[in-house]
Amino acid sequence: LSGDSAHTDVSGHGTIMAALIAGTGADNGVQGLAPGVDILPIRTHETEASGFDVEGTFADAVQYAVDEGADIISVSNGIQPTGYAQDEVTAALEEAARQDVLVFAATGNDAENSNMEMFPSNQDGVVGVGAVD
């Protein structure tokens, strides 16, 4: 995506994640883990079927973040690691690692029932993050 639409949070999930990361706690708001950091919001192409387009645009988003000088990339979603080619995304993640960019990705939000292997958190050099309760 390009232009302002690439930085618009259409579901609210990205905004919630940004608050958990960078919230300052001002005005009784959320105190994040790293208040004061800069966030570069990037939204990948959304589709009705999967929620986002993992093939081209997700890889492009990772590469864009690396090119813009990101130190950390937070991927707050993931998918089952079957059913599609992962080569472009894997190549982008490998480039992020070569540039010393740390990548975190979701492994699930339900520790009791369904935190399982997910892509891209199952890739070398990616830190998987999931719910604990």
Side-chain angles (χ1 to χ4, degrees):
L1 295 172
S2 62
D4 289 336
S5 67
H7 303 286
T8 300
D9 183 359
V10 296
S11 71
H13 185 72
T15 300
I16 292 168
M17 297 308 299
L20 291 173
I21 295 167
T24 64
D27 298 323
N28 293 320
V30 173
Q31 176 70 46
L33 297 172
V37 299
D38 293 327
I39 292 185
L40 172 63
I42 303 170
R43 181 171 53 91
T44 57
H45 178 69
E46 304 226 356
T47 63
E48 285 185 29
S50 65
F52 60 95
D53 177 5
V54 174
E55 277 301 308
T57 60
F58 184 78
D60 292 341
V62 170
Q63 188 60 56
Y64 177 76
V66 170
D67 292 346
E68 291 296 309
D71 296 314
I72 298 172
I73 297 173
S74 175
V75 182
S76 59
N77 49 13
I79 61 171
Q80 295 296 312
T82 58
Y84 62 92
Q86 302 171 0
D87 295 344
E88 289 181 29
V89 175
T90 299
L93 293 170
E94 289 170 351
E95 177 61 21
R98 280 191 293 278
Q99 299 297 323
D100 294 325
V101 176
L102 183 58
V103 178
F104 291 90
T107 59
N109 287 326
D110 190 354
E112 293 293 321
N113 297 311
S114 65
N115 281 356
M116 61 188 72
E117 180 179 356
M118 296 183 83
F119 181 82
S121 64
N122 65 349
Q123 299 299 290
D124 288 341
V126 177
V127 178
V129 179
V132 293
D133 71 11

